[in-house]
Amino acid sequence: MTEGDGSQAPPPRRRGRPSRTEAQTGPDARTRILEAARTEFSERGYDKTSVRGIAKAAGVDAALVHHYFGTKDEVFAAAIELSFEPALVIPDILGSSTEGLGERLAGYFIGVWENPASRAPLLAIMRSAMTHEAAAKVLRVFVLRRLLDRIADRLDVPDAAFRVELAASHMVGIAVLRYVLQAEPLASADPQKIIAMVGPTLQRYLTEA
Amino acid sequence: MTEGDGSQAPPPRRRGRPSRTEAQTGPDARTRILEAARTEFSERGYDKTSVRGIAKAAGVDAALVHHYFGTKDEVFAAAIELSFEPALVIPDILGSSTEGLGERLAGYFIGVWENPASRAPLLAIMRSAMTHEAAAKVLRVFVLRRLLDRIADRLDVPDAAFRVELAASHMVGIAVLRYVLQAEPLASADPQKIIAMVGPTLQRYLTEA
């Protein structure tokens, strides 16, 4: 039971002055900051959230937030990535062959939105990005670009980046009509029915030259 | 030249007191109100626009705005319809056969967004609907429902309403990534290239059972 004890772990590398207490750091501080950021951005929106507010909610120094993530924009990007977990999930979605890729991608996306824990922050992110250029830029540069390129790099079609973004646009639009505007009949449709219809579309975009 | 002279036309039906001057009414007053509404909603957003402000911008009494359109929500809906002109355009899009329907629909939608005169108010509408439930409700009830039903009624596939909304979701998502977030490469893509890729998707949703 001594292995993995926080007090034995090497302290994280630091810029600037050390934080006030040892309890602030440790292996959980980064996660705590991210969860706090996600909650703050969800509840206040992009423009009213500050690094100071996130630090307070996480019970750490603002300096530690900067240390782990850099600027507010970078915390925002990391909080978005927390919902999508691209590093964990994208290899699975891509799998070993492109067969069924469209359906896996649609299933993953709908799954993230169907999960209330990730839906709330995603709603906040979309609202912020639609109304604040700074938030739009984060979504464009840090999230979309990274996420889409990671998929495009693995595809063997001409114009892969364009095609991946077209696929993404369909999923973004479903999120807008189903989860944001809650327009029927899409808002109440069975997720499996949506995935079954949209999967072949994504498959065509991503694999058919 | 006397025919169609405003002074000869029957006055519009009115609720409440008559407006101050004859110049306020006439055949152009309704159009002037709509254009003013579109500008006000575009520049101020849904929540900060008032019927009084629209009336002032159009140079008419607020009572005349209510007379022609009813509530603020109904003016908002009418201002949105002004961009899409569904009554004029939908019969052309539907045409006499479903052949090429997906491409016509994609072309129409991209065309409306490529036109700066309709793009600005549409951006404002989307931003308002994403952030204010009242505006979302207008879009959902007065615009989407009407627009989508008008198309769904003419289709011969099961689940037509669901399929039309799925098609709409794709176009809404393209608008979000291309025009709102301006995410590349979609933001700079040739409109014809987008239409050529998206047309077959819409065609499948709207026509293939």
Side-chain angles (χ1 to χ4, degrees):
Chain A
M1 294 297 280
T2 51
E3 220 176 86
D5 179 345
S7 65
Q8 299 299 318
R13 282 170 301 137
R14 285 198 189 117
R15 293 198 292 248
R17 64 188 165 88
S19 48
R20 253 176 258 140
T21 68
E22 197 55 34
Q24 282 203 341
T25 60
D28 294 335
R30 193 178 183 283
T31 310
R32 250 187 7 257
I33 292 168
L34 263 190
E35 294 287 357
R38 197 153 88 144
T39 307
E40 290 286 301
F41 282 120
S42 298
E43 291 177 358
R44 295 168 195 275
Y46 176 84
D47 56 323
K48 290 192 183 114
T49 296
S50 66
V51 166
R52 181 181 297 263
I54 292 168
K56 195 177 167 192
V60 300
D61 266 8
L64 197 68
V65 178
H66 287 300
H67 163 73
Y68 277 123
F69 298 102
T71 64
K72 169 178 161 180
D73 284 355
E74 287 164 317
V75 189
F76 187 59
I80 301 172
E81 290 213 339
L82 185 65
S83 294
F84 283 111
E85 299 183 299
L88 291 176
V89 173
I90 287 181
D92 275 353
I93 294 171
L94 288 167
S96 53
S97 101
T98 56
E99 204 186 314
L101 172 61
E103 200 152 320
R104 287 196 298 277
L105 201 58
Y108 160 63
F109 185 83
I110 297 287
V112 168
W113 276 93
E114 287 294 308
N115 177 357
S118 37
R119 188 192 302 179
L122 284 174
L123 281 171
I125 288 156
M126 290 196 65
R127 292 195 170 112
S128 296
M130 297 285 287
T131 46
H132 293 88
E133 171 52 24
K137 193 179 169 188
V138 175
L139 201 60
R140 195 164 60 224
V141 176
F142 289 100
V143 183
L144 271 174
R145 196 69 277 126
R146 280 187 201 161
L147 208 62
L148 303 187
D149 282 352
R150 218 187 273 231
I151 298 173
D153 286 349
R154 293 277 300 271
L155 299 178
D156 190 27
V157 284
D159 266 335
F162 171 71
R163 284 156 167 273
V164 173
E165 196 178 349
L166 218 49
S169 77
H170 197 353
M171 295 187 280
V172 165
I174 289 170
V176 170
L177 291 190
R178 178 175 168 93
Y179 303 104
V180 184
L181 300 183
Q182 298 177 31
E184 296 295 354
L186 194 55
S188 305
D190 179 349
Q192 291 309 318
K193 184 176 163 185
I194 301 171
I195 295 165
M197 281 293 279
V198 172
T201 300
L202 305 188
Q203 186 72 17
R204 180 171 74 83
Y205 288 161
L206 302 181
T207 65
E208 289 172 30
Chain B
M1 295 297 280
T2 51
E3 219 175 272
D5 178 347
S7 63
Q8 300 297 318
R13 281 169 301 137
R14 282 194 193 123
R15 293 198 290 249
R17 65 189 163 86
S19 48
R20 251 175 259 140
T21 68
E22 198 55 34
Q24 282 203 340
T25 60
D28 294 335
R30 194 179 182 283
T31 310
R32 249 186 7 257
I33 293 168
L34 263 190
E35 294 286 357
R38 195 152 88 145
T39 306
E40 291 285 302
F41 283 120
S42 299
E43 291 177 357
R44 295 170 196 275
Y46 176 83
D47 57 323
K48 292 196 182 110
T49 296
S50 65
V51 166
R52 183 182 295 266
I54 292 168
K56 195 176 168 193
V60 302
D61 266 7
L64 197 69
V65 178
H66 287 300
H67 162 74
Y68 278 122
F69 299 101
T71 64
K72 170 178 159 180
D73 284 355
E74 287 166 316
V75 190
F76 188 59
I80 301 172
E81 290 214 337
L82 185 65
S83 293
F84 282 111
E85 300 182 299
L88 290 175
V89 172
I90 287 182
D92 276 354
I93 294 171
L94 288 166
S96 51
S97 101
T98 55
E99 204 186 315
L101 172 60
E103 199 151 322
R104 288 196 297 278
L105 200 58
Y108 160 64
F109 184 83
I110 296 286
V112 168
W113 275 94
E114 286 294 308
N115 177 356
S118 36
R119 186 192 304 177
L122 284 173
L123 280 172
I125 288 156
M126 290 197 66
R127 292 194 170 114
S128 296
M130 297 285 287
T131 46
H132 294 87
E133 171 51 25
K137 192 179 169 189
V138 175
L139 202 59
R140 195 164 59 223
V141 176
F142 289 101
V143 183
L144 272 174
R145 195 67 282 126
R146 279 186 201 163
L147 207 62
L148 302 187
D149 282 351
R150 218 185 272 233
I151 298 174
D153 287 348
R154 294 280 298 274
L155 298 180
D156 190 25
V157 283
D159 267 335
F162 172 71
R163 284 157 168 275
V164 173
E165 197 178 348
L166 218 49
S169 78
H170 197 355
M171 295 187 280
V172 166
I174 289 170
V176 170
L177 292 190
R178 179 176 167 92
Y179 302 105
V180 184
L181 299 182
Q182 298 179 29
E184 297 295 354
L186 194 55
S188 306
D190 180 347
Q192 291 309 318
K193 184 176 163 184
I194 301 171
I195 295 165
M197 280 292 279
V198 172
T201 299
L202 305 187
Q203 186 72 17
R204 179 170 76 81
Y205 287 160
L206 301 181
T207 64
E208 288 171 32

